[in-house]
């Protein structure tokens, strides 16, 4: 059994109609619940919940402080390559974009590592396009062996892989994998991914199952907000999360909220999500799942990030560059998307401290793992 077996039991249009039919009474029932269900989650992300946003925010803040204290984890992406064999309508790395491609070699990787270490980071997220011949498993093995000694926690956001590939990378220091479905609307998914391995909806959908069987320490889920109706996509993300938590209960989980940002050759959002609606979604996830980590990237503005950190967010990026070699080696290579919050990690840390939070520069240390 995989999540696909659960997924096919839910019709997109039926789920969407159910969300939009929720009433104020449904929202009040969800807010009063002790342990919230997916039906409660539908109510909390529905238009009917917007008048209750202040109450949701207070509950979300209290739950987050109870579970995570006054800490905020900080991470930074390290883009290793912008080569990609997929065509994706929303991405600057898409194969049909006529751009200069770049994949970092060992010396360039180490230049990036030195700059990132000097910022204070112990947690790094490795990112590439999806180009199997150039940045495949062998490349990742070499990169992990180079980078591993310098960081306490290494995450990856690359192409989905087979279970045995993940099993081979975990002993080399891979602790977390982020794999976003982009959208759970199958027809629209195929529309936005017309060419390349990423066009295989089911293979991507079942990637978290392969990660769970491989024994990954943590995995991240999410959708690209703007490709489809964000409320319906978020329900399917929550459905996926609950399935994974039941099935691979030893793994930790995080949810991210990437909103579609401008990029070379990109498309405008099909569905615009307002700031208040993103706050609503963040709070709804926290009320559904007090233990899940919630992450907010530099895609969001400085002002928005300053205000939303107290409402459920537990992890933030800072000082991000979204191009290969962007920290030290090649300041001119193409970015995957435009960032909005351009403050330095030190400035973010000072902002967090001014609000009573402790910046945490590493997520998890391998020395804490318990041998079987």
């Amino acid at each position: 059994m995989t999540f696909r077996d659960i997924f096919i039991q839910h019709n997109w249009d039926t789920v969407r109609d159910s969300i939009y039919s929720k009433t104020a009474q449904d929202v009040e029932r969800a807010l009063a619940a002790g342990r919230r269900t997916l039906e409660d989650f539908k109510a909390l992300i529905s238009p009917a919940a917007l008048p209750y946003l202040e109450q949701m925010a207070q509950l979300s803040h209290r739950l987050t402080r109870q579970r995570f204290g006054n800490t905020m984890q900080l991470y930074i992406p390290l883009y290793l390559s912008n080569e990609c064999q997929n065509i994706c309508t929303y991405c600057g790395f898409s194969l049909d974009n006529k751009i200069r491609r770049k994949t970092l070699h060992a010396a360039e990787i180490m230049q990036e590592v030195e700059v990132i270490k000097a910022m204070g980071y112990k947690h790094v997220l490795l990112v590439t396009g999806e180009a199997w011949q150039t940045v495949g498993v062998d490349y990742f093995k070499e990169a992990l062996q180079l980078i591993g000694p310098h960081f306490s926690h290494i995450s990856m956001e690359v192409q989905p892989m087979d279970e045995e590939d993940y099993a081979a990378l975990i002993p080399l220091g891979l602790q977390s994998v982020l794999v976003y479905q982009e959208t759970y609307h199958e027809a629209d998914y195929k529309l936005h991914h017309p060419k390349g391995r990423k066009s295989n909806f089911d293979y991507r959908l079942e990637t978290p199952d392969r990660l769970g069987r491989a024994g990954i320490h943590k995995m991240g889920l999410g959708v690209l907000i703007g490709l489809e109706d964000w409320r319906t996509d978020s329900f399917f993300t929550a459905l996926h999360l609950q399935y994974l938590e039941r099935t691979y209960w030893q793994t930790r989980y995080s949810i991210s909220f990437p909103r579609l940002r401008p990029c070379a050759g990109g498309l405008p959002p099909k569905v615009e999500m307002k700031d208040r609606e993103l706050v609503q979604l963040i709070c709804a996830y926290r009320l559904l799942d007090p233990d899940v980590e919630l992450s907010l990237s530099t895609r969001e503005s400085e002002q928005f990030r300053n205000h939303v950190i107290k409402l459920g967010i537990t992890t933030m990026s800072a000082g991000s560059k979204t191009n290969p070699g962007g920290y030290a080696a090649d300041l001119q290579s193409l970015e995957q998307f435009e960032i909005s919050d351009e403050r330095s990690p030190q400035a973010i840390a000072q902002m967090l401290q001014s609000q009573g939070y402790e910046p945490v520069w590493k997520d998890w240390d391998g020395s804490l793992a318990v041998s079987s």
Side-chain angles (χ1 to χ4, degrees), residues 25-44:
Q25 185 178 14
D26 295 320
V27 176
E28 291 171 4
R29 186 181 303 111
L31 289 172
R35 185 172 183 176
R36 297 174 181 92
T37 66
L38 285 171
E39 283 300 313
D40 293 325
F41 183 73
K42 286 181 182 178
L44 294 171

Side-chain angles (χ1 to χ4, degrees), residues 169-189:
L169 296 178
I170 290 171
L172 299 179
L174 176 64
Q175 283 115 3
S176 303
V177 173
L178 282 61
V179 55
Y180 304 139
Q181 188 60 31
E182 313 298 12
T183 178
Y184 287 86
H185 190 293
E186 193 165 356
D188 269 15
Y189 181 94

